[in-house]
Amino acid sequence: MPERLRQLEHWLAQSCRMSGCRIQPASADASFRRYFRVTRGDGTTLIAMDAPPEQEDCRPFIKVAGFLESMQLDAPRVLEANLDEGFLLLSDLGSTQYLDLLNDDRSAADK
């Protein structure tokens, strides 16, 4: 297991009280960030973001997430943050991508 993934697992277990959760890749980013879907024992899911601090600064992400939340837009909320290690725990909006939904049902754009 790569070291960053080991560190993420440790952070989730220690700081987020999520030991024994299942971690799977969720999506990629155009930067150094990586996203993982974290499944708890009860089946609920969250997203863990890995943004190596030497390559990424999480503070702008957190700031924008706060703006989006204050405007009541449907965007991931930051639930936990470890800026020293470059980890964020985010709400999970699910795996359905809006473009796929719109391609399947164009009338959904009006909803």
Side-chain angles (χ1 to χ4, degrees), residues 8-82:
L8 176 62
E9 271 190 340
H10 178 75
W11 177 68
L12 289 169
Q14 298 299 310
S15 299
C16 303
R17 298 162 301 287
M18 294 180 65
S19 61
C21 58
R22 189 175 71 222
I23 302 173
Q24 298 175 296
S27 67
D29 197 304
S31 67
F32 290 98
R33 289 187 296 250
R34 297 183 307 162
Y35 298 89
F36 297 91
R37 181 159 280 111
V38 179
T39 305
R40 296 177 178 175
D42 65 1
T44 60
T45 60
L46 298 168
I47 297 294
M49 184 174 87
D50 171 18
E54 62 278 357
Q55 297 163 317
E56 294 284 338
D57 181 0
C58 290
R59 290 174 294 200
F61 185 99
I62 293 170
K63 188 174 184 177
V64 170
F67 289 147
L68 296 173
E69 184 176 359
S70 71
M71 292 184 283
Q72 299 179 338
L73 294 174
D74 198 16
R77 287 184 26 243
V78 177
L79 306 172
E80 299 278 344
N82 179 332

